[in-house]
C-alpha cells in the first residue's frame, strides 16, 4: 500500500487488510490517502506479462476517482468497461465516457457483472439493451462488440467445487470466456503491436546506420579528394620547376 501525505510511504499488508484501505467503510473520506494497492498473485494469465489495473471508476461519488482513472487511461492497451446486471443499463454519462475512450484510440471490452443476481432472461435483456446503446454510440454492429456477462460469485464457487461441477459452474460464470478472450485476442494483439513496434524501431535504426555510413563514406571521399588534389598540385608544381630548370639552369 502506498499512502501519500507529503511523501510516498509503503507498507506490506495481507489480503484480509485490503478492505481497511480500499473501501469506504475501512477508509472513510479517503482519510488514509491511499494512492494504490499492488496485488501480486500466482495467476497463469498474469504470468504472461499482463497487468490489470482496477481504478476507482467513472461517474462515482468523488471527482478525484475519475481523475485517477483518466490519469492511467493513456498507458492502457485496452479498457474493460464494467457495468452490472441489476442497477441500470448504460447511462448517458457512461456513453459519453465511452466516446472519450474511443477518441483516445483505446480498445474497449464491456463486462456485465453480477449475472447470478437476476434471472437469465433479465440478464440477457440487460445485455441486449446495452449492446443496442453501444452500437448506436460507436457506430459498430452489436455482433462486433466484445461484451461479456460474468459472475465472480459462481467463479469463486467453482474454485472449491467438486470436479464434476467445476466446469459447469465456470461456464455459467462467463469468466472463462473473458479470460480466454484476453489471453487469445488481447495479449496476441499486444504481442503483434510489440513486434511491429520493434520492427519499426529496427528499421529506423538500420536507416540511421545506413545514413551514418553514407555520411562517413562521403566524408572519407571528400578527405580523399582533398588529399588527391594536394598530390596533383605538388606534382604540377614540381613538373613546372623541372621544366624551368631544363630550359634555363641546365
Amino acid at each position: 500500500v502506498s499512502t501519500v501525505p507529503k511523501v510516498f510511504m509503503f507498507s506490506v499488508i495481507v489480503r484480509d487488510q485490503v478492505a481497511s484501505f480500499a473501501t469506504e467503510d475501512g477508509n472513510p473520506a479517503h482519510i488514509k490517502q491511499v494512492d494504490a494497492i499492488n496485488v501480486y498473485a500466482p495467476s497463469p494469465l498474469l504470468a504472461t506479462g499482463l497487468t490489470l489495473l482496477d481504478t476507482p471508476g467513472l461517474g462515482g461519488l468523488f471527482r478525484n476517482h475519475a481523475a485517477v482513472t483518466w490519469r492511467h487511461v493513456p498507458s492502457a492497451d485496452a479498457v474493460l468497461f464494467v457495468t452490472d446486471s441489476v442497477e441500470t443499463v448504460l447511462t448517458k454519462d457512461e456513453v459519453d465516457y465511452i466516446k472519450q475512450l474511443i477518441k483516445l484510440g483505446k480498445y474497449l471490452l464491456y463486462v456485465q457483472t453480477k449475472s447470478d443476481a437476476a434471472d437469465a432472461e433479465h440478464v440477457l435483456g440487460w445485455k441486449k439493451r446495452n449492446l443496442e446503446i453501444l452500437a448506436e454510440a460507436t457506430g459498430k454492429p452489436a455482433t462486433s462488440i466484445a461484451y461479456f456477462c460474468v459472475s465472480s460469485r459462481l467463479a469463486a464457487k467453482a474454485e472449491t467445487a467438486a470436479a464434476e461441477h467445476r466446469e459447469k459452474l465456470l461456464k455459467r460464470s462467463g469468466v472463462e470466456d473473458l479470460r480466454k478472450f484476453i489471453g487469445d485476442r488481447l495479449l496476441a494483439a499486444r504481442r503483434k503491436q510489440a513486434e511491429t513496434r520493434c520492427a519499426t524501431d529496427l528499421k529506423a535504426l538500420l536507416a540511421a546506420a545506413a545514413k551514418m555510413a553514407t555520411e562517413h563514406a562521403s566524408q572519407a571521399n571528400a578527405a580523399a579528394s582533398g588529399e588527391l588534389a594536394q598530390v596533383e598540385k605538388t606534382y604540377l608544381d614540381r613538373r613546372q620547376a623541372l621544366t624551368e630548370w631544363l630550359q634555363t639552369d641546365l
Side-chain angles (χ1 to χ4, degrees), residues 181-195:
F181 185 90
I182 291 173
D184 294 350
R185 293 282 298 276
L186 283 188
L187 291 180
R190 182 73 181 87
R191 283 192 294 271
K192 186 174 181 180
Q193 287 176 355
E195 289 167 2

Side-chain angles (χ1 to χ4, degrees), residues 3 30 43 48 56 63 83 88-89 108 111 119 121 125 131 151 175 185-186 200 204 224 232 247:
T3 58
H30 198 45
S43 161
T48 62
R63 279 185 293 180
T83 182
T88 179
V89 294
L108 266 71
V111 181
D119 60 77
E121 185 178 353
L131 282 171
S151 165
V175 169
R185 293 282 298 276
L186 283 188
T200 301
E232 288 178 340
Q247 292 175 348

Side-chain angles (χ1 to χ4, degrees), residues 40-71:
Y40 300 90
S43 161
L45 189 61
L46 298 178
T48 62
L50 178 71
T51 298
L52 291 174
L53 184 65
D54 180 21
T55 65
L58 300 168
L61 296 176
F62 302 101
R63 279 185 293 180
N64 65 320
H65 283 183
V68 170
T69 298
W70 286 116
R71 190 172 75 218

Side-chain angles (χ1 to χ4, degrees), residues 220-237:
N221 288 336
S225 297
E227 291 174 3
L228 181 60
Q230 184 60 45
V231 170
E232 288 178 340
K233 183 177 184 304
T234 302
Y235 165 74
L236 292 173
D237 288 346

Side-chain angles (χ1 to χ4, degrees), residues 128-161:
K128 181 181 178 183
R129 180 61 188 131
N130 278 339
L131 282 171
E132 289 172 352
I133 294 170
L134 290 170
E136 183 180 353
T138 63
K140 295 180 179 180
T143 52
S144 69
I145 296 172
Y147 192 102
F148 302 87
C149 291
V150 303
S151 165
S152 57
R153 184 177 296 170
L154 291 176
K157 282 184 179 179
E159 295 282 336
T160 56

